[in-house]
Amino acid sequence: MEQTTAVRPVTPQERAARAARNGGEPTLEFAERVPYDAYVRASTLHRLQEPLSDDPGEMSFLMVSQIMELYFGLTCHELRHAKRELREDRIWEALAPLRRAALHLEGLNAAWHGLRWMSPADFNRFRDRLGEGSGFQSAMYRQLEFLLGLRDRALIRPFRRQTDVYDELTAALATPSLWDEVVALLARKGFDVPAELLERDVNGEHEAHPAIEAAWVQIYGDSGPDNHLRLLGDALTEIAEEFGDWRWNHVKAVQRTMGAKVGSGGSAGLAWLQRSMARVVFPELWSARTAM
């Protein structure tokens, strides 16, 4: 059973006194659970791996997948924080969580390195044990896509019998994305944003709109040090690039381990992933560059 020992706060004075008593050595005796484990839950994390085969390489596949799930959740946490700040017109305050999100996506991309050893022969040794399990079925990845403005109601259908997950995804679909909040912010800042763009169907995606493109052309034409909107555009561009890199790394990983075989989750595998990359994150930030 999971222990719930609380982490007891320590003041700087207590920390200094403990160091003096220890003569500079670390504390080795604790009355209860080790504080690090009470906070990080490391012992719990390391019990969450249950490989389905005896193949030693499966542990890499399983743990890298779990690491990616944690990064999906962490990035969503930062993007939701940024959304709240933008909704209150606090552009400067939104930059920190956006920059952290870009760094988390960079870490997410680095996680692919742990699977670069895997060939089709390596994957085939345990692939059949996974049944129909596929990264396509990651609910947290869908949350991340929805936050970035990539919405497709059909993609939540696999979760209909997991009512708590399905309800969370349905709520995410009905909530304005990060990009929706950016467009609303531009309108409040006086840019010519058509009313229909502020009333978009939150369950669908959109193509680049000339009015939003024009706003970004104007924003990037101002090189002043107080142009926080330009800093916002730079932070969003970094996120879009890192997310695009993750999708491309996913394509390469599938090519390396499966070629063009049918995907485990029933899709066309590689071909499906390649098509999905055509769905652009923050489209006007990219299309506006042609006119800059």
Side-chain angles (χ1 to χ4, degrees):
M1 184 175 178
E2 172 67 17
Q3 292 178 292
T4 57
T5 304
V7 179
R8 187 181 71 82
V10 177
T11 66
Q13 293 78 12
E14 289 175 318
R15 191 175 295 114
R18 173 63 64 87
R21 288 196 302 272
N22 292 351
E25 296 296 320
T27 301
L28 300 178
E29 296 291 339
F30 298 97
E32 299 180 82
R33 187 179 186 180
V34 173
Y36 173 83
D37 195 50
Y39 177 62
V40 177
R41 299 292 195 270
S43 56
T44 300
L45 284 173
H46 291 296
R47 288 195 297 268
L48 295 179
Q49 293 76 46
E50 297 182 7
L52 301 176
S53 75
D54 294 328
D55 184 78
E58 187 193 347
M59 185 62 86
S60 293
F61 180 81
L62 176 55
M63 290 196 73
V64 168
S65 298
Q66 291 178 334
I67 289 165
M68 287 187 177
E69 282 292 327
L70 291 173
Y71 268 124
F72 293 154
L74 180 55
T75 306
C76 286
H77 168 79
E78 302 289 11
L79 297 183
R80 292 186 187 108
H81 180 182
K83 275 180 54 179
R84 292 192 297 270
E85 299 292 356
L86 292 176
R87 196 174 300 133
E88 300 298 326
D89 292 340
R90 293 193 289 261
I91 302 172
W92 182 259
E93 289 79 2
L95 295 178
L98 290 174
R99 288 167 176 159
R100 290 196 298 266
L103 292 173
H104 301 329
L105 288 169
E106 188 176 329
L108 176 65
N109 276 305
W112 284 116
H113 296 173
L115 296 179
R116 286 171 59 183
W117 59 271
M118 189 178 290
S119 69
D122 296 320
F123 190 33
N124 287 340
R125 280 196 289 272
F126 62 86
R127 185 189 180 197
D128 290 348
R129 298 290 187 92
L130 306 179
E132 293 185 282
S134 168
F136 171 84
Q137 299 153 7
S138 167
M140 193 56 70
Y141 178 75
R142 294 296 165 219
Q143 291 276 3
L144 178 57
E145 281 196 329
F146 296 165
L147 276 165
L148 294 173
L150 300 179
R151 297 192 191 89
D152 185 343
R153 177 171 286 278
L155 296 181
I156 72 172
R157 286 173 57 192
F159 305 97
R160 283 182 298 178
R161 289 175 176 79
Q162 291 177 257
T163 54
D164 53 342
V165 177
Y166 186 79
D167 290 346
E168 289 171 357
L169 288 170
T170 300
L173 273 175
T175 302
S177 70
L178 174 63
W179 191 241
D180 291 330
E181 296 290 359
V182 170
V183 170
L185 172 70
L186 294 179
R188 293 194 299 273
K189 292 297 181 181
F191 292 94
D192 185 18
V193 176
E196 63 267 21
L197 295 185
L198 302 175
E199 301 173 355
R200 284 176 174 151
D201 177 6
V202 294
N203 294 328
E205 297 174 20
H206 67 274
E207 300 295 329
H209 193 282
I212 308 304
E213 293 173 358
W216 285 109
V217 170
Q218 184 177 342
I219 289 166
Y220 272 88
D222 176 4
S223 58
D226 296 326
N227 185 357
H228 291 175
L229 284 172
R230 179 169 181 162
L231 296 177
L232 174 62
D234 288 344
L236 293 169
T237 299
E238 185 70 17
I239 288 171
E241 285 186 341
E242 291 291 346
F243 183 71
D245 287 348
W246 186 85
R247 293 199 287 180
W248 174 237
N249 283 328
H250 192 183
V251 167
K252 290 191 294 182
V254 169
Q255 285 178 317
R256 183 184 304 114
T257 59
M258 291 174 48
K261 295 185 183 75
V262 173
S264 300
S267 74
L270 179 62
W272 191 90
L273 289 175
Q274 290 171 327
R275 287 197 303 272
S276 71
M277 289 188 66
R279 303 164 69 209
V280 180
V281 175
F282 312 150
E284 291 93 343
L285 261 182
W286 300 103
S287 59
R289 281 163 163 73
T290 304
M292 289 181 187

mmCIF file of all heavy atoms in Angstrom, residues 88-115:
data_model
loop_
_atom_site.group_PDB
_atom_site.id
_atom_site.type_symbol
_atom_site.label_atom_id
_atom_site.label_comp_id
_atom_site.label_asym_id
_atom_site.label_seq_id
_atom_site.Cartn_x
_atom_site.Cartn_y
_atom_site.Cartn_z
ATOM 1 N N GLU A 88 -5.983 36.693 -18.971
ATOM 2 C CA GLU A 88 -5.999 37.906 -18.144
ATOM 3 C C GLU A 88 -5.087 38.996 -18.719
ATOM 4 O O GLU A 88 -4.751 39.957 -18.013
ATOM 5 C CB GLU A 88 -5.574 37.566 -16.718
ATOM 6 C CG GLU A 88 -6.479 36.552 -16.020
ATOM 7 C CD GLU A 88 -7.901 37.060 -15.873
ATOM 8 O OE1 GLU A 88 -8.069 38.295 -15.679
ATOM 9 O OE2 GLU A 88 -8.831 36.237 -15.972
ATOM 10 N N ASP A 89 -4.659 38.826 -19.974
ATOM 11 C CA ASP A 89 -3.792 39.793 -20.665
ATOM 12 C C ASP A 89 -2.414 39.926 -20.021
ATOM 13 O O ASP A 89 -1.741 40.943 -20.194
ATOM 14 C CB ASP A 89 -4.448 41.179 -20.743
ATOM 15 C CG ASP A 89 -5.667 41.193 -21.651
ATOM 16 O OD1 ASP A 89 -5.788 40.285 -22.503
ATOM 17 O OD2 ASP A 89 -6.500 42.107 -21.508
ATOM 18 N N ARG A 90 -1.984 38.904 -19.305
ATOM 19 C CA ARG A 90 -0.663 38.940 -18.686
ATOM 20 C C ARG A 90 0.335 38.220 -19.607
ATOM 21 O O ARG A 90 0.737 37.074 -19.362
ATOM 22 C CB ARG A 90 -0.714 38.299 -17.297
ATOM 23 C CG ARG A 90 -1.555 39.095 -16.296
ATOM 24 C CD ARG A 90 -1.329 38.614 -14.875
ATOM 25 N NE ARG A 90 -1.912 37.307 -14.649
ATOM 26 C CZ ARG A 90 -3.087 37.093 -14.054
ATOM 27 N NH1 ARG A 90 -3.806 38.133 -13.640
ATOM 28 N NH2 ARG A 90 -3.538 35.870 -13.878
ATOM 29 N N ILE A 91 0.718 38.915 -20.666
ATOM 30 C CA ILE A 91 1.587 38.311 -21.680
ATOM 31 C C ILE A 91 2.953 37.983 -21.095
ATOM 32 O O ILE A 91 3.487 36.887 -21.306
ATOM 33 C CB ILE A 91 1.738 39.260 -22.898
ATOM 34 C CG1 ILE A 91 0.371 39.569 -23.491
ATOM 35 C CG2 ILE A 91 2.651 38.638 -23.946
ATOM 36 C CD1 ILE A 91 0.412 40.636 -24.571
ATOM 37 N N TRP A 92 3.529 38.917 -20.385
ATOM 38 C CA TRP A 92 4.867 38.704 -19.821
ATOM 39 C C TRP A 92 4.870 37.492 -18.898
ATOM 40 O O TRP A 92 5.783 36.664 -18.936
ATOM 41 C CB TRP A 92 5.329 39.952 -19.075
ATOM 42 C CG TRP A 92 6.710 39.830 -18.510
ATOM 43 C CD1 TRP A 92 7.048 39.559 -17.215
ATOM 44 C CD2 TRP A 92 7.940 39.944 -19.221
ATOM 45 N NE1 TRP A 92 8.411 39.516 -17.067
ATOM 46 C CE2 TRP A 92 8.991 39.749 -18.289
ATOM 47 C CE3 TRP A 92 8.266 40.208 -20.559
ATOM 48 C CZ2 TRP A 92 10.331 39.800 -18.655
ATOM 49 C CZ3 TRP A 92 9.599 40.264 -20.917
ATOM 50 C CH2 TRP A 92 10.630 40.053 -19.977
ATOM 51 N N GLU A 93 3.829 37.387 -18.073
ATOM 52 C CA GLU A 93 3.760 36.267 -17.131
ATOM 53 C C GLU A 93 3.543 34.940 -17.855
ATOM 54 O O GLU A 93 3.915 33.877 -17.336
ATOM 55 C CB GLU A 93 2.627 36.501 -16.125
ATOM 56 C CG GLU A 93 2.902 37.614 -15.122
ATOM 57 C CD GLU A 93 2.677 39.012 -15.696
ATOM 58 O OE1 GLU A 93 2.269 39.121 -16.874
ATOM 59 O OE2 GLU A 93 2.914 39.996 -14.956
ATOM 60 N N ALA A 94 2.947 34.963 -19.044
ATOM 61 C CA ALA A 94 2.720 33.735 -19.808
ATOM 62 C C ALA A 94 3.998 33.205 -20.442
ATOM 63 O O ALA A 94 4.071 32.023 -20.800
ATOM 64 C CB ALA A 94 1.674 33.973 -20.894
ATOM 65 N N LEU A 95 5.010 34.056 -20.585
ATOM 66 C CA LEU A 95 6.226 33.631 -21.282
ATOM 67 C C LEU A 95 6.980 32.536 -20.524
ATOM 68 O O LEU A 95 7.528 31.616 -21.132
ATOM 69 C CB LEU A 95 7.143 34.834 -21.515
ATOM 70 C CG LEU A 95 6.604 35.917 -22.456
ATOM 71 C CD1 LEU A 95 7.602 37.071 -22.564
ATOM 72 C CD2 LEU A 95 6.300 35.351 -23.836
ATOM 73 N N ALA A 96 7.022 32.627 -19.193
ATOM 74 C CA ALA A 96 7.776 31.639 -18.419
ATOM 75 C C ALA A 96 7.219 30.224 -18.604
ATOM 76 O O ALA A 96 7.972 29.299 -18.928
ATOM 77 C CB ALA A 96 7.820 32.035 -16.952
ATOM 78 N N PRO A 97 5.905 29.994 -18.410
ATOM 79 C CA PRO A 97 5.409 28.631 -18.635
ATOM 80 C C PRO A 97 5.544 28.180 -20.085
ATOM 81 O O PRO A 97 5.750 26.986 -20.342
ATOM 82 C CB PRO A 97 3.943 28.697 -18.196
ATOM 83 C CG PRO A 97 3.582 30.139 -18.197
ATOM 84 C CD PRO A 97 4.832 30.872 -17.866
ATOM 85 N N LEU A 98 5.438 29.110 -21.044
ATOM 86 C CA LEU A 98 5.611 28.726 -22.443
ATOM 87 C C LEU A 98 7.054 28.296 -22.714
ATOM 88 O O LEU A 98 7.299 27.311 -23.427
ATOM 89 C CB LEU A 98 5.227 29.883 -23.364
ATOM 90 C CG LEU A 98 3.735 30.213 -23.429
ATOM 91 C CD1 LEU A 98 3.504 31.460 -24.267
ATOM 92 C CD2 LEU A 98 2.929 29.037 -23.992
ATOM 93 N N ARG A 99 7.997 29.006 -22.144
ATOM 94 C CA ARG A 99 9.401 28.626 -22.344
ATOM 95 C C ARG A 99 9.715 27.304 -21.650
ATOM 96 O O ARG A 99 10.483 26.491 -22.164
ATOM 97 C CB ARG A 99 10.308 29.751 -21.831
ATOM 98 C CG ARG A 99 10.292 30.986 -22.745
ATOM 99 C CD ARG A 99 10.914 32.187 -22.095
ATOM 100 N NE ARG A 99 10.972 33.321 -23.018
ATOM 101 C CZ ARG A 99 11.082 34.587 -22.645
ATOM 102 N NH1 ARG A 99 11.154 34.890 -21.348
ATOM 103 N NH2 ARG A 99 11.118 35.556 -23.545
ATOM 104 N N ARG A 100 9.113 27.110 -20.475
ATOM 105 C CA ARG A 100 9.304 25.815 -19.815
ATOM 106 C C ARG A 100 8.706 24.696 -20.661
ATOM 107 O O ARG A 100 9.287 23.610 -20.778
ATOM 108 C CB ARG A 100 8.671 25.822 -18.418
ATOM 109 C CG ARG A 100 9.388 26.691 -17.398
ATOM 110 C CD ARG A 100 8.952 26.363 -15.979
ATOM 111 N NE ARG A 100 7.544 26.590 -15.746
ATOM 112 C CZ ARG A 100 7.025 27.711 -15.250
ATOM 113 N NH1 ARG A 100 7.827 28.734 -14.953
ATOM 114 N NH2 ARG A 100 5.725 27.819 -15.044
ATOM 115 N N ALA A 101 7.533 24.946 -21.250
ATOM 116 C CA ALA A 101 6.898 23.934 -22.093
ATOM 117 C C ALA A 101 7.799 23.548 -23.258
ATOM 118 O O ALA A 101 7.919 22.365 -23.597
ATOM 119 C CB ALA A 101 5.555 24.449 -22.614
ATOM 120 N N ALA A 102 8.450 24.531 -23.870
ATOM 121 C CA ALA A 102 9.358 24.237 -24.980
ATOM 122 C C ALA A 102 10.521 23.371 -24.516
ATOM 123 O O ALA A 102 10.946 22.444 -25.221
ATOM 124 C CB ALA A 102 9.865 25.536 -25.602
ATOM 125 N N LEU A 103 11.035 23.640 -23.327
ATOM 126 C CA LEU A 103 12.132 22.831 -22.792
ATOM 127 C C LEU A 103 11.661 21.422 -22.462
ATOM 128 O O LEU A 103 12.401 20.449 -22.661
ATOM 129 C CB LEU A 103 12.729 23.508 -21.554
ATOM 130 C CG LEU A 103 13.485 24.815 -21.822
ATOM 131 C CD1 LEU A 103 13.869 25.471 -20.503
ATOM 132 C CD2 LEU A 103 14.722 24.559 -22.669
ATOM 133 N N HIS A 104 10.438 21.295 -21.949
ATOM 134 C CA HIS A 104 9.911 19.957 -21.668
ATOM 135 C C HIS A 104 9.748 19.172 -22.971
ATOM 136 O O HIS A 104 10.015 17.970 -23.014
ATOM 137 C CB HIS A 104 8.571 20.053 -20.946
ATOM 138 C CG HIS A 104 8.620 20.791 -19.647
ATOM 139 N ND1 HIS A 104 9.737 20.803 -18.845
ATOM 140 C CD2 HIS A 104 7.688 21.557 -19.005
ATOM 141 C CE1 HIS A 104 9.490 21.530 -17.762
ATOM 142 N NE2 HIS A 104 8.261 21.992 -17.852
ATOM 143 N N LEU A 105 9.310 19.846 -24.030
ATOM 144 C CA LEU A 105 9.191 19.183 -25.332
ATOM 145 C C LEU A 105 10.564 18.777 -25.861
ATOM 146 O O LEU A 105 10.702 17.745 -26.526
ATOM 147 C CB LEU A 105 8.479 20.097 -26.326
ATOM 148 C CG LEU A 105 6.977 20.293 -26.085
ATOM 149 C CD1 LEU A 105 6.437 21.415 -26.959
ATOM 150 C CD2 LEU A 105 6.214 19.001 -26.353
ATOM 151 N N GLU A 106 11.572 19.581 -25.547
ATOM 152 C CA GLU A 106 12.939 19.210 -25.924
ATOM 153 C C GLU A 106 13.352 17.926 -25.199
ATOM 154 O O GLU A 106 13.967 17.024 -25.792
ATOM 155 C CB GLU A 106 13.888 20.354 -25.579
ATOM 156 C CG GLU A 106 15.302 20.177 -26.079
ATOM 157 C CD GLU A 106 16.170 21.392 -25.782
ATOM 158 O OE1 GLU A 106 15.634 22.519 -25.745
ATOM 159 O OE2 GLU A 106 17.392 21.207 -25.591
ATOM 160 N N GLY A 107 13.015 17.829 -23.919
ATOM 161 C CA GLY A 107 13.284 16.603 -23.178
ATOM 162 C C GLY A 107 12.491 15.428 -23.727
ATOM 163 O O GLY A 107 12.997 14.299 -23.803
ATOM 164 N N LEU A 108 11.247 15.687 -24.114
ATOM 165 C CA LEU A 108 10.417 14.650 -24.718
ATOM 166 C C LEU A 108 11.075 14.105 -25.982
ATOM 167 O O LEU A 108 11.116 12.892 -26.209
ATOM 168 C CB LEU A 108 9.039 15.238 -25.041
ATOM 169 C CG LEU A 108 8.034 14.354 -25.760
ATOM 170 C CD1 LEU A 108 7.628 13.174 -24.892
ATOM 171 C CD2 LEU A 108 6.803 15.159 -26.157
ATOM 172 N N ASN A 109 11.617 14.997 -26.801
ATOM 173 C CA ASN A 109 12.309 14.564 -28.012
ATOM 174 C C ASN A 109 13.542 13.737 -27.694
ATOM 175 O O ASN A 109 13.844 12.749 -28.373
ATOM 176 C CB ASN A 109 12.694 15.780 -28.855
ATOM 177 C CG ASN A 109 11.556 16.242 -29.740
ATOM 178 O OD1 ASN A 109 11.013 15.470 -30.511
ATOM 179 N ND2 ASN A 109 11.178 17.497 -29.631
ATOM 180 N N ALA A 110 14.257 14.123 -26.642
ATOM 181 C CA ALA A 110 15.470 13.387 -26.275
ATOM 182 C C ALA A 110 15.143 11.964 -25.848
ATOM 183 O O ALA A 110 15.987 11.065 -25.980
ATOM 184 C CB ALA A 110 16.206 14.124 -25.155
ATOM 185 N N ALA A 111 13.929 11.744 -25.349
ATOM 186 C CA ALA A 111 13.549 10.402 -24.908
ATOM 187 C C ALA A 111 13.587 9.396 -26.052
ATOM 188 O O ALA A 111 13.801 8.196 -25.826
ATOM 189 C CB ALA A 111 12.159 10.426 -24.273
ATOM 190 N N TRP A 112 13.402 9.859 -27.283
ATOM 191 C CA TRP A 112 13.462 8.942 -28.430
ATOM 192 C C TRP A 112 14.840 8.279 -28.548
ATOM 193 O O TRP A 112 14.957 7.178 -29.098
ATOM 194 C CB TRP A 112 13.154 9.669 -29.726
ATOM 195 C CG TRP A 112 11.715 9.992 -29.952
ATOM 196 C CD1 TRP A 112 11.154 11.235 -30.038
ATOM 197 C CD2 TRP A 112 10.625 9.065 -30.163
ATOM 198 N NE1 TRP A 112 9.807 11.139 -30.263
ATOM 199 C CE2 TRP A 112 9.461 9.825 -30.346
ATOM 200 C CE3 TRP A 112 10.557 7.667 -30.188
ATOM 201 C CZ2 TRP A 112 8.216 9.228 -30.563
ATOM 202 C CZ3 TRP A 112 9.314 7.074 -30.414
ATOM 203 C CH2 TRP A 112 8.164 7.849 -30.591
ATOM 204 N N HIS A 113 15.885 8.964 -28.057
ATOM 205 C CA HIS A 113 17.233 8.396 -28.186
ATOM 206 C C HIS A 113 17.342 7.031 -27.521
ATOM 207 O O HIS A 113 18.145 6.193 -27.935
ATOM 208 C CB HIS A 113 18.262 9.351 -27.576
ATOM 209 C CG HIS A 113 18.345 10.667 -28.287
ATOM 210 N ND1 HIS A 113 19.108 11.726 -27.818
ATOM 211 C CD2 HIS A 113 17.777 11.103 -29.431
ATOM 212 C CE1 HIS A 113 18.981 12.749 -28.640
ATOM 213 N NE2 HIS A 113 18.178 12.401 -29.624
ATOM 214 N N GLY A 114 16.535 6.812 -26.479
ATOM 215 C CA GLY A 114 16.581 5.547 -25.766
ATOM 216 C C GLY A 114 16.044 4.372 -26.562
ATOM 217 O O GLY A 114 16.135 3.229 -26.110
ATOM 218 N N LEU A 115 15.461 4.655 -27.746
ATOM 219 C CA LEU A 115 14.921 3.579 -28.578
ATOM 220 C C LEU A 115 15.627 3.465 -29.923
ATOM 221 O O LEU A 115 15.202 2.670 -30.772
ATOM 222 C CB LEU A 115 13.417 3.798 -28.812
ATOM 223 C CG LEU A 115 12.526 3.740 -27.570
ATOM 224 C CD1 LEU A 115 11.075 4.008 -27.940
ATOM 225 C CD2 LEU A 115 12.647 2.385 -26.878
#
